[in-house]
């Protein structure tokens, strides 16, 4: 079932169709859509591949969240009895044992999505995450997932290059912004039309705020190398202890104002980002001003991991309410719903076209 353009239906064709059919059956007009936002960043599972059932996530979304990305976490925390004995870690900070890439997450996400009826699938945008960004074969993994599950995935990510405490724990080579394997991934994402959600901290932990962020220039160079790829920079580079650099929003605006980065978007997901953004009335106003100057380039997200109840799920939204009240209705609508719908509706058209092109290709000898 094709989706309507975002201008006609920013909530998804399947969802809108279900409302129309139900209303027609009773001779009524459709009920008003009361969704607060679409979620550009939510995890169904955690670092040991446990989480909640997708139907429970729908229940938690309720009538507050219209559409959401759907991905787990591509890393599995190893339980090493030599390291922690009978204590089974569930988070990467609970043990010195390494993390490793867990490719089965893509099949798990696809099967969860396909278990839903069509009208409920319209509320999710599944993402491919189970690849190693240091591996030149990672792009082939992404192609393989798309051909095995046609009609399912809209993008790749959230996946990580530089992340505080995480990157150094991953078994094997350390990921890098200059790695040709990463370029190959982003090249293919641009070719197929996949939306990319990239996590890369702007700086190293506990850096001096007055200095140029360590990862900024390499990150900008990566963006410039892939102008055909839609990239969402998760958390605008902020981490748990990677604090916003001085003039962080000015740095973001420099990127947003440069036509070389017109394909780069930013999400303001995560309680830690909200904490810094809402720290004072001045920072709140500064963030609102930037969003108002670049209303087409920001997306809202929660970064919740397997939320078990709606109150927890909405806590990031509640944190941002004072900032949202400073935005015009048009800017607020784009941030919370419109930009999400525009990017992912466009991805549907492109990715489905790529999948069809693969079905029409002759089989290799």
């Amino acid at each position: 079932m094709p989706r309507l353009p975002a201008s006609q239906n920013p909530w998804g064709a399947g969802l809108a169709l279900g409302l129309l059919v139900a209303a027609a059956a009773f001779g009524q007009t459709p009920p008003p859509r009361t969704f607060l936002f679409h979620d550009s960043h939510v995890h169904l599972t955690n670092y040991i591949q446990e989480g909640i059932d997708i139907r429970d996530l729908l229940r938690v979304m309720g009538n507050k969240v219209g559409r959401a990305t759907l991905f787990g976490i591509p890393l599995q925390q190893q339980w090493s009895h030599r390291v922690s004995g009978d204590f089974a870690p569930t988070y990467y900070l609970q043990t010195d044992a390494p993390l490793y890439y867990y490719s089965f997450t893509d099949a798990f996400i696809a099967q969860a999505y396909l278990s839903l009826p069509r009208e409920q699938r319209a509320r999710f945008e599944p993402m491919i995450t189970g690849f190693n960004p240091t591996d030149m074969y990672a792009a082939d993994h992404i192609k393989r997932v798309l051909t095995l599950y046609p009609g399912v995935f809209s993008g790749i990510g959230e996946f990580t290059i530089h992340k505080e405490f995480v990157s150094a724990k991953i078994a094997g080579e350390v990921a890098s912004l200059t790695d040709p394997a990463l370029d190959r991934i982003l090249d293919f994402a641009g070719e197929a039309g996949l939306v990319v959600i990239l996590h890369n901290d702007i700086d190293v932990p506990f850096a001096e705020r007055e200095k140029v962020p360590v990862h900024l220039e390499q990150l900008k160079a990566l963006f410039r190398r892939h102008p055909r790829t839609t990239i969402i920079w998760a958390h605008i580079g902020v981490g748990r202890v990677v604090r916003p650099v001085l003039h962080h929003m000015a740095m973001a605006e420099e990127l947003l104002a440069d036509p070389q980065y017109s394909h780069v978007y930013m999400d303001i997901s995560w309680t830690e980002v909200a904490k810094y953004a809402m720290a004072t009335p001045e920072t709140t106003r500064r963030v609102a001003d930037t969003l108002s100057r670049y209303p087409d380039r920001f997306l809202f997200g929660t970064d919740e991991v397997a939320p078990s109840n709606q109150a927890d799920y909405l806590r990031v939204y509640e944190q941002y309410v004072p900032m949202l009240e400073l935005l015009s209705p048009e800017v607020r609508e784009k941030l919370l719903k419109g930009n999400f719908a525009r990017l992912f509706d466009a991805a549907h058209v492109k990715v489905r076209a790529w999948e069809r092109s693969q079905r029409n290709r002759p089989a290799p000898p």
Side-chain angles (χ1 to χ4, degrees), residues 61-308:
M61 291 165 64
N63 64 351
K64 303 298 183 183
V65 182
R67 291 165 64 180
T69 54
L70 187 68
F71 48 86
I73 289 178
L75 296 167
Q76 167 75 33
Q77 174 60 62
Q78 178 183 336
W79 177 10
S80 171
H81 199 273
R82 295 183 304 103
V83 175
S84 60
D86 292 335
F87 172 72
T90 60
Y91 193 55
Y92 62 86
L93 292 177
Q94 294 177 335
T95 176
D96 291 333
L99 296 157
Y100 59 90
Y101 292 103
Y102 187 81
S103 292
F104 187 71
T105 186
D106 294 329
F108 180 84
I109 292 295
Q111 291 300 120
Y113 173 80
L114 291 171
S115 72
L116 296 174
R118 186 180 297 272
E119 64 273 11
Q120 291 180 349
R121 292 181 203 169
R123 297 183 71 176
F124 290 111
E125 304 296 341
M127 309 288 282
I128 298 170
T129 62
F131 54 87
N132 180 344
T134 72
D135 185 358
M136 290 292 285
Y137 280 125
D140 298 273
H141 169 85
I142 296 167
K143 295 178 186 178
R144 196 172 299 120
V145 173
L146 287 178
T147 54
L148 184 61
Y149 293 104
V152 172
F153 290 97
S154 307
I156 62 174
E158 178 199 19
F159 72 98
T160 296
I161 303 301
H162 294 299
K163 180 177 181 179
E164 53 190 5
F165 312 125
V166 169
S167 302
K169 285 196 65 175
I170 301 172
E173 294 183 356
V174 176
S176 166
L177 291 167
T178 64
D179 197 322
L182 177 58
D183 286 318
R184 195 163 186 259
I185 292 167
L186 296 185
D187 280 340
F188 174 68
E191 173 192 335
L194 294 159
V195 174
V196 174
I197 302 178
L198 174 68
H199 182 123
N200 196 96
D201 294 343
I202 192 64
D203 214 336
V204 295
F206 310 113
E208 297 181 36
R209 298 184 69 202
E210 295 78 10
K211 293 186 176 181
V212 175
V214 170
H215 301 307
L216 177 59
E217 292 307 317
Q218 286 188 355
L219 187 65
K220 290 165 68 175
L222 179 74
F223 292 157
R224 290 194 300 270
R225 292 199 301 273
H226 301 280
R228 295 176 55 242
T229 306
T230 299
I231 301 172
I232 300 172
W233 184 18
H235 323 307
I236 326 178
V238 174
R240 190 180 302 278
V241 297
V242 176
R243 300 171 299 173
V245 298
L246 282 179
H247 313 300
H248 198 96
M249 297 313 292
M251 176 272 298
E253 289 200 33
E254 181 181 341
L255 280 171
L256 295 167
D258 192 329
Q260 295 183 97
Y261 309 112
S262 61
H263 58 296
V264 177
Y265 300 80
M266 303 179 185
D267 88 23
I268 59 169
S269 65
W270 197 20
T271 54
E272 292 297 310
V273 179
K275 176 184 73 176
Y276 291 118
M278 308 302 296
T280 68
E282 291 73 22
T283 58
T284 302
R285 168 59 69 181
R286 184 71 178 86
V287 173
D289 288 346
T290 298
L291 267 61
S292 297
R293 279 191 285 273
Y294 300 94
D296 299 320
R297 305 288 291 282
F298 286 90
L299 294 92
F300 179 81
T302 65
D303 198 20
E304 289 296 323
V305 178
S308 60

